[in-house]
Amino acid sequence: MEETKKKIATEEWLFLLCYGVWFFFCCLYFTKYRKMFPIAEYGSLLCWLSAPLLVYRAVVNRKLFTLSEWLPAIAFIAVSFLVAYHSGSHKMPAYSMWIVAASYVDKKRILKVSFWIMLSCVVLTVGGSLLGILPSIVKESLTRTRMELGYNFTSFCSHHVLFLSILFVAVRGKVRYPELALLLLANYAVFKATDTRVDFVLAVSILPVLYLLLHIKLEPLMDGFPVLFFVMPFLLAVISFSAHYFYNEENELFAAANQLLNKRLMFGNRAMNYYPYMLFGQKTYHNLNGEYFFIDNYYVRTIFKTGLIFPLFIWGGFSKAIYRFCKQHERALLLALFAMLLHGLIDPELGDIRWNPFIFYVSSLFENEQRMKL
C-alpha cells in the first residue's frame, strides 16, 4: 500500500513539473519578454508535453480507469481535434489532453503551483517595467491614461492580479482582514496604472463578498441546494447569450449595462449578427473591416470559437466540480470558482488553459468519485 501511494505521488509530481514549466512560459507569453526571448517557440513546443504525459498516466494508472470512464475523455479529445480543424486553434487538442491528464491529480496542488508561477511572472514583468528593462508604454486619450506595465496589452496585468487574488482564496482556504486589504490594495494599484475598470469593479465586488462568505456558515445551503450551485455555469451562459442577443441600444437598461461594461454588449451583439452557429467552431476576429469585432464574454465567444458541442464539456465539468465542492464542503474552492465564472462574463480567459488553472477541474467529468476515495 505504501508503494502504491509513493507511485501515485511520483506521478502527480511529474504532472506538476511538466505543467509548471509550461505554465511559466504561458505567463511570460503575455509579456514583452516574448520579444527578448523565444518564449512563444518554447511554449508551443512544451504545450505538447500533454500527449506523452497522458499516455504515461493512462498506462501506469490503467487500474483507475475503465473503458466506460475513458469514453467521455476520448470524445472530449476527439471534439477538440475537430475544433482545431475548423477554427484554426491548432493547440486545442494539446490543451484538452492537459485537462484529461489531470484526472485523479490533486487539483489544489495545481492551483498552488499556478499561484506561485503567476506571482513570479507578475513580479518579473512589473519589476522589469519599473526598472526600464521592459518598455512601459503609456496610452493616453482624452479621458484615460493606461500603462502596459511590461505586458503586451494594458488589461493583462490586471487580469493576472485579479486571478492571483482568487487563487489566493482557493489555496489559502480562508482570508483574514489584513490579507483582504492587501489584495484590494494590489488590485487598486494595478487599476490606477492600467485603468482596467471592469477588473477593478469585479475585485472590489467579489473579494469582500468572498471574505464575508468564508466567515459564515454555508454548509446548510450547500447541503440543501447543491443543484442551485450545480447549474451556475449553464445559467451564466444563458444570461450572457440572452443579454447579447437581445441587446437594444434604445433600451435604457441595456444602454446603462452596455456603458458599465465598456460597450461589450454592443460589440458582442454586432458579432452575433455576423457569425453563424457551427458544431465545431470557426475562425473569429479581433477586428473586421476596420471595426472592433471581439466578443469580451467567455460564454458567448466560446460558442462561436469552439462550436456548440465543446463548451458543453467545459460547463459540464465545472458543474460536476461544483457539485463535489458542495458535497465535500469545500466552500473556498466553490467561491473561488464562482469568482472565475463571473469573470467570464466580461472576458474570455475562463476557457483558456494558459490563463485559468481552474480549468483543470473540468477533468472531474472523467473521474469516478468512488475511485477517488481509494
Side-chain angles (χ1 to χ4, degrees):
M1 188 67 180
E2 291 180 0
E3 183 180 350
T4 303
K5 287 184 177 180
K6 184 178 180 181
K7 183 184 293 185
I8 293 174
T10 300
E11 292 158 16
E12 284 202 14
W13 286 119
L14 177 62
F15 176 92
L16 293 172
L17 175 63
C18 293
Y19 164 71
V21 172
W22 174 62
F23 189 63
F24 177 74
F25 283 93
C26 288
C27 290
L28 289 183
Y29 177 82
F30 300 107
T31 73
K32 294 191 181 297
Y33 283 113
R34 191 175 71 179
K35 296 181 179 179
M36 300 170 59
F37 305 102
I39 295 208
E41 292 78 3
Y42 287 142
S44 296
L45 181 63
L46 290 169
C47 175
W48 291 97
L49 279 173
S50 59
L53 191 64
L54 175 59
V55 172
Y56 171 77
R57 286 187 56 77
V59 172
V60 176
N61 291 134
R62 58 187 179 277
K63 292 182 180 180
L64 283 174
F65 302 94
T66 65
L67 179 60
S68 62
E69 291 165 359
W70 266 109
L71 286 178
I74 293 171
F76 178 59
I77 295 172
V79 170
S80 73
F81 273 98
L82 291 170
V83 170
Y85 176 78
H86 285 86
S87 69
S89 302
H90 300 303
K91 296 187 182 68
M92 185 66 75
Y95 299 158
S96 299
M97 285 187 281
W98 275 115
I99 294 172
V100 176
S103 300
Y104 298 102
V105 172
D106 185 346
K107 309 301 186 298
K108 202 165 184 178
R109 286 183 178 175
I110 299 177
L111 298 185
K112 289 178 181 177
V113 169
S114 304
F115 174 83
W116 289 111
I117 290 174
M118 191 181 293
L119 179 61
S120 299
C121 290
V122 169
V123 172
L124 281 173
T125 306
V126 176
S129 172
L130 296 177
L131 293 173
I133 300 172
L134 297 177
S136 183
I137 298 175
V138 178
K139 296 182 178 180
E140 295 189 14
S141 63
L142 294 176
T143 58
R144 307 179 75 178
T145 299
R146 312 189 73 188
M147 297 176 62
E148 292 180 345
L149 295 177
Y151 280 80
N152 294 323
F153 192 68
T154 51
S155 66
F156 284 177
C157 185
S158 68
H159 288 349
H160 270 166
V161 172
L162 177 60
F163 293 172
L164 279 170
S165 303
I166 297 170
L167 276 169
F168 180 84
V169 173
V171 171
R172 183 86 164 80
K174 58 183 179 180
V175 182
R176 296 189 177 93
Y177 182 76
E179 294 167 336
L180 172 65
L182 186 61
L183 293 176
L184 290 173
L185 181 62
N187 281 273
Y188 177 74
V190 175
F191 162 68
K192 290 297 292 182
T194 65
D195 195 25
T196 306
R197 302 168 187 170
V198 181
D199 274 349
F200 182 63
V201 169
L202 276 177
V204 298
S205 302
I206 290 175
L207 293 177
V209 172
L210 293 182
Y211 172 79
L212 292 173
L213 291 178
L214 285 170
H215 288 80
I216 63 176
K217 289 186 176 182
L218 285 178
E219 284 73 12
L221 186 61
M222 294 165 69
D223 288 335
F225 304 96
V227 175
L228 178 66
F229 299 108
F230 177 82
V231 301
M232 187 61 69
F234 292 94
L235 180 61
L236 290 176
V238 171
I239 291 172
S240 297
F241 191 86
S242 300
H244 287 77
Y245 184 82
F246 293 108
Y247 169 72
N248 182 353
E249 61 182 6
E250 296 181 359
N251 183 288
E252 292 184 3
L253 183 60
F254 273 118
N258 185 54
Q259 191 65 29
L260 180 66
L261 296 173
N262 288 338
K263 300 183 179 180
R264 281 172 165 79
L265 294 180
M266 179 186 72
F267 293 132
N269 178 263
R270 178 191 299 170
M272 288 182 77
N273 291 326
Y274 175 83
Y275 293 122
Y277 297 94
M278 310 289 287
L279 278 179
F280 302 111
Q282 62 203 292
K283 185 175 178 58
T284 57
Y285 305 92
H286 279 74
N287 293 278
L288 190 67
N289 299 325
E291 292 186 332
Y292 186 74
F293 215 70
F294 191 74
I295 303 175
D296 279 312
N297 178 293
Y298 160 70
Y299 303 97
V300 176
R301 184 173 184 268
T302 192
I303 289 175
F304 295 107
K305 179 70 175 178
T306 66
L308 300 174
I309 297 178
F310 190 78
L312 298 179
F313 285 98
I314 304 298
W315 302 337
F318 279 142
S319 292
K320 188 173 179 180
I322 289 170
Y323 186 79
R324 283 184 177 175
F325 294 159
C326 290
K327 290 298 184 181
Q328 298 167 5
H329 293 175
E330 292 276 8
R331 58 177 174 176
L333 289 172
L334 176 69
L335 296 172
L337 181 54
F338 277 174
M340 289 301 300
L341 290 170
L342 289 174
H343 186 269
L345 294 173
I346 55 95
D347 273 300
E349 285 81 12
L350 173 66
D352 193 332
I353 195 172
R354 298 172 301 171
W355 283 91
N356 173 28
F358 287 92
I359 198 76
F360 283 105
Y361 280 102
V362 171
S363 69
S364 63
L365 194 65
F366 318 119
E367 296 169 348
N368 183 297
E369 194 165 359
Q370 295 301 317
R371 291 179 184 271
M372 289 188 69
K373 296 177 180 179
L374 296 178

